[in-house]
Amino acid sequence: MNKLSYVVVIVVLACLVSHSWAEISRVPLIPQANFTRTKSNVKAEKSILASKYLKETTTGPTGRYLVLHNYQNAAYYGVMSIGKPKKYFNIRFDTGSANLWVPSINCPSTNVACRQHAKYDSSASSSYVANGENITIDYGTESVVGYLSTDIVRTNNIPIRSQTFMEATSVPSSFINAPYAGIWGLAFQSIAVGNVTPPLDNMIAQGQLSEPLISFYLKRDGTDLKGGELIFGGIDSTLYTGSLTYVPVSVEGYWQFEVTSIDTNDVNLCSDCQAIADTGTPLIVVPQAAYADINDQIGAVDNGDGSAFVDCDQQSSLPDVNFSIGGTTFTLTPSDYIVEVTDDDDNVYCMSSFTYLAGYDFWILGDVFIGKFYTVFDKGNSQIGFAPAVTS
Ligand SMILES: *[C@@H]1O[C@H](CO)[C@@H](O)[C@H](O)[C@H]1NC(C)=O
Ligand SMILES: *[C@@H]1O[C@H](CO)[C@@H](O)[C@H](O)[C@H]1NC(C)=O
Ligand SMILES: *[C@@H]1O[C@H](CO)[C@@H](O)[C@H](O)[C@H]1NC(C)=O
C-alpha cells in the first residue's frame, strides 16, 4: 500500500467512527508526517504565495485563484468524495480561496501531479452533470487548468447536491508528492473563479449544517496522525479556553477583518489594519513597514527574500507579539512564531513566521496563528471568532 492510500484508508475509518456525531460534523485534519522545512521549500512556498496575493490585487474581480503550497510545509487536509459511487480524494481545506478542484481522468499521465493522485472520472459516476466551461486558475508563474463539472460532493458524509467544481487537466508541479490531490476553498463566492457557488454555501443552502458556520482546530504537533479538526456546522468549546471573541467580516472575499492593533515591545506594528484568516497559509505574512519593524524588535536578519532568521540561542529572550482583536489580546510567544527550518546539509535555522511579500498591505494570519487560536468562520453572521486553542 502506498503512502497516499494508507492515509486515505485511515481517514476514511476515522470519518466512519466520528460520524456518530449528529449535530456537528468533523473532518480530521492531518498534517503531513514530516514537518521539516528546508530553506528552498520556504522559498518555493513564498513564490506561490506571492503570486496568489499579487494576482488578487492586480486583476480585479475576474482573476481568482487557489492556494498551492509546498507539501513539506505544514499543511492540513482531510478526505472528501465526489460522485456515485464515491470517489475519494485527500483535499486541503483552504479559507483563503473559494473554488473546489480535483485532478481529472482527462489530465494526461505526463502530468506527474495528476499521475500520482486520485482522479475524477465523470463516466464512472451516475450522478454526474456536464458543464464543460473551461477555467484557468492563475498563479502568475503557475496555474491550474481544467473545466467545470457538477456532481454530488461529500465530506464526512455530508452530501452537497449539484456542486460545481473544476476537473483539473493540468496540475502544477508544486502538487508533486503532496499528500493531498486538490483544494477545497472555503472563502466567499466573490473570489471564486467562474463565479461558482462554493461548496460551503451549497451545504448551508441545502440545510446540511445545524449552524451556518465552520470552525478549525489545528494542532501544531506535526507528528500526530490526527492533526486537528474542521468542524462543519458547529463550535466545540472543549477545544478552546475562555470565550470566543468575534469581529465582523470587513470584506466578503477572503475571511477579512479589522485588527485594532499589533504590538511588540511597546512598538506598534499596525493600528486599525486589515487581516485575513487563512488556513492555506502556513506562516504569517505582514506588510512591508511592519516587517521591518518586527525584525528590528526581534533581532531577525532578513534573508533578502522576505524571510528573516534569528539566532536560535536567542529564541527564549524574544518578545511576545500581541494582536488586539475585538477588544481581546491574542499573544504569540517566540515558541509560537519561530519555526525551525533545516537545509540540505541538516543545518538548523530559526526562522521568523513573520514573512513579507511585496505588493499588498494586509496581514495574512496563517496556520501559525490559527493553530494557537481556535477559529470560527461564521458565514451566517459574517463574522470570525477566536479563542485560545487547548494544547494537548
Ligand atoms: C523528513 O525529511 C528529511 C529531510 O528531507 C529526511 O531526511 C527525513 O528522513 C524525513 N523523515 C521522515 C520521517 O520522512
Ligand atoms: C475547452 O478546452 C478544450 C481543450 O482546449 C477545447 O477542446 C474545448 O473546446 C473547450 N471547451 C469550451 C466549452 O470552450
Ligand atoms: C501583551 O499583552 C499582555 C496582556 O495584555 C501584556 O501583559 C504584555 O505586556 C504585552 N506584551 C507586549 C510585548 O506588548
Side-chain angles (χ1 to χ4, degrees), residues 131-135 145-147 169:
N131 176 310
E133 182 188 341
N134 289 327
I135 62 171
V145 177
Y147 56 92
T169 52

PDB file of all heavy atoms in Angstrom, residues 131-135 145-147 169, ligand 2:
ATOM      1  N   ASN A 131     -20.932  20.244 -17.516  1.00  0.00           N
ATOM      2  CA  ASN A 131     -20.935  21.708 -17.599  1.00  0.00           C
ATOM      3  C   ASN A 131     -19.969  22.095 -18.716  1.00  0.00           C
ATOM      4  O   ASN A 131     -20.374  22.608 -19.740  1.00  0.00           O
ATOM      5  CB  ASN A 131     -20.538  22.321 -16.254  1.00  0.00           C
ATOM      6  CG  ASN A 131     -20.420  23.835 -16.293  1.00  0.00           C
ATOM      7  OD1 ASN A 131     -19.761  24.401 -17.163  1.00  0.00           O
ATOM      8  ND2 ASN A 131     -21.059  24.515 -15.360  1.00  0.00           N
ATOM      9  N   GLY A 132     -18.685  21.807 -18.540  1.00  0.00           N
ATOM     10  CA  GLY A 132     -17.725  21.933 -19.633  1.00  0.00           C
ATOM     11  C   GLY A 132     -17.072  23.288 -19.794  1.00  0.00           C
ATOM     12  O   GLY A 132     -16.180  23.449 -20.635  1.00  0.00           O
ATOM     13  N   GLU A 133     -17.479  24.270 -19.007  1.00  0.00           N
ATOM     14  CA  GLU A 133     -16.833  25.584 -19.122  1.00  0.00           C
ATOM     15  C   GLU A 133     -15.367  25.488 -18.708  1.00  0.00           C
ATOM     16  O   GLU A 133     -15.043  24.988 -17.629  1.00  0.00           O
ATOM     17  CB  GLU A 133     -17.555  26.606 -18.229  1.00  0.00           C
ATOM     18  CG  GLU A 133     -16.949  28.003 -18.338  1.00  0.00           C
ATOM     19  CD  GLU A 133     -17.515  28.999 -17.319  1.00  0.00           C
ATOM     20  OE1 GLU A 133     -18.604  28.742 -16.784  1.00  0.00           O
ATOM     21  OE2 GLU A 133     -16.853  30.015 -17.066  1.00  0.00           O
ATOM     22  N   ASN A 134     -14.495  25.943 -19.580  1.00  0.00           N
ATOM     23  CA  ASN A 134     -13.061  25.921 -19.267  1.00  0.00           C
ATOM     24  C   ASN A 134     -12.721  27.064 -18.330  1.00  0.00           C
ATOM     25  O   ASN A 134     -13.131  28.202 -18.561  1.00  0.00           O
ATOM     26  CB  ASN A 134     -12.241  26.089 -20.559  1.00  0.00           C
ATOM     27  CG  ASN A 134     -12.313  24.853 -21.445  1.00  0.00           C
ATOM     28  OD1 ASN A 134     -12.412  23.738 -20.954  1.00  0.00           O
ATOM     29  ND2 ASN A 134     -12.263  25.062 -22.750  1.00  0.00           N
ATOM     30  N   ILE A 135     -11.980  26.759 -17.296  1.00  0.00           N
ATOM     31  CA  ILE A 135     -11.466  27.843 -16.460  1.00  0.00           C
ATOM     32  C   ILE A 135      -9.987  27.623 -16.172  1.00  0.00           C
ATOM     33  O   ILE A 135      -9.490  26.486 -16.228  1.00  0.00           O
ATOM     34  CB  ILE A 135     -12.242  28.020 -15.122  1.00  0.00           C
ATOM     35  CG1 ILE A 135     -12.130  26.778 -14.237  1.00  0.00           C
ATOM     36  CG2 ILE A 135     -13.690  28.388 -15.368  1.00  0.00           C
ATOM     37  CD1 ILE A 135     -12.695  27.000 -12.831  1.00  0.00           C
ATOM     38  N   VAL A 145      -5.394  24.325 -14.639  1.00  0.00           N
ATOM     39  CA  VAL A 145      -6.254  24.457 -15.804  1.00  0.00           C
ATOM     40  C   VAL A 145      -7.246  23.295 -15.795  1.00  0.00           C
ATOM     41  O   VAL A 145      -6.892  22.170 -15.433  1.00  0.00           O
ATOM     42  CB  VAL A 145      -5.404  24.403 -17.100  1.00  0.00           C
ATOM     43  CG1 VAL A 145      -6.293  24.455 -18.344  1.00  0.00           C
ATOM     44  CG2 VAL A 145      -4.396  25.545 -17.118  1.00  0.00           C
ATOM     45  N   GLY A 146      -8.475  23.564 -16.224  1.00  0.00           N
ATOM     46  CA  GLY A 146      -9.440  22.477 -16.290  1.00  0.00           C
ATOM     47  C   GLY A 146     -10.797  22.983 -16.721  1.00  0.00           C
ATOM     48  O   GLY A 146     -10.908  24.051 -17.311  1.00  0.00           O
ATOM     49  N   TYR A 147     -11.817  22.186 -16.434  1.00  0.00           N
ATOM     50  CA  TYR A 147     -13.171  22.574 -16.827  1.00  0.00           C
ATOM     51  C   TYR A 147     -14.138  22.198 -15.713  1.00  0.00           C
ATOM     52  O   TYR A 147     -13.849  21.330 -14.868  1.00  0.00           O
ATOM     53  CB  TYR A 147     -13.564  21.911 -18.150  1.00  0.00           C
ATOM     54  CG  TYR A 147     -13.466  20.403 -18.152  1.00  0.00           C
ATOM     55  CD1 TYR A 147     -14.568  19.613 -17.828  1.00  0.00           C
ATOM     56  CD2 TYR A 147     -12.273  19.767 -18.475  1.00  0.00           C
ATOM     57  CE1 TYR A 147     -14.480  18.233 -17.822  1.00  0.00           C
ATOM     58  CE2 TYR A 147     -12.173  18.385 -18.482  1.00  0.00           C
ATOM     59  CZ  TYR A 147     -13.284  17.623 -18.155  1.00  0.00           C
ATOM     60  OH  TYR A 147     -13.190  16.247 -18.147  1.00  0.00           O
ATOM     61  N   THR A 169      -7.144  19.473 -15.603  1.00  0.00           N
ATOM     62  CA  THR A 169      -6.435  18.718 -16.642  1.00  0.00           C
ATOM     63  C   THR A 169      -4.955  19.084 -16.674  1.00  0.00           C
ATOM     64  O   THR A 169      -4.188  18.501 -17.426  1.00  0.00           O
ATOM     65  CB  THR A 169      -7.063  18.986 -18.025  1.00  0.00           C
ATOM     66  OG1 THR A 169      -7.133  20.402 -18.227  1.00  0.00           O
ATOM     67  CG2 THR A 169      -8.457  18.399 -18.111  1.00  0.00           C
TER      68      THR A 169
HETATM   69  C1  LIG B   2     -12.250  23.695 -23.519  1.00  0.00           C
HETATM   70  O1  LIG B   2     -10.897  23.448 -23.853  1.00  0.00           O
HETATM   71  C2  LIG B   2     -10.750  22.286 -24.644  1.00  0.00           C
HETATM   72  C3  LIG B   2      -9.263  21.979 -24.725  1.00  0.00           C
HETATM   73  O2  LIG B   2      -8.534  23.137 -25.022  1.00  0.00           O
HETATM   74  C4  LIG B   2     -11.386  22.540 -26.011  1.00  0.00           C
HETATM   75  O3  LIG B   2     -11.250  21.393 -26.829  1.00  0.00           O
HETATM   76  C5  LIG B   2     -12.873  22.798 -25.772  1.00  0.00           C
HETATM   77  O4  LIG B   2     -13.499  23.134 -26.972  1.00  0.00           O
HETATM   78  C6  LIG B   2     -13.067  23.939 -24.769  1.00  0.00           C
HETATM   79  N1  LIG B   2     -14.475  23.976 -24.409  1.00  0.00           N
HETATM   80  C7  LIG B   2     -15.164  25.115 -24.396  1.00  0.00           C
HETATM   81  C8  LIG B   2     -16.603  24.977 -23.962  1.00  0.00           C
HETATM   82  O5  LIG B   2     -14.688  26.197 -24.671  1.00  0.00           O
END
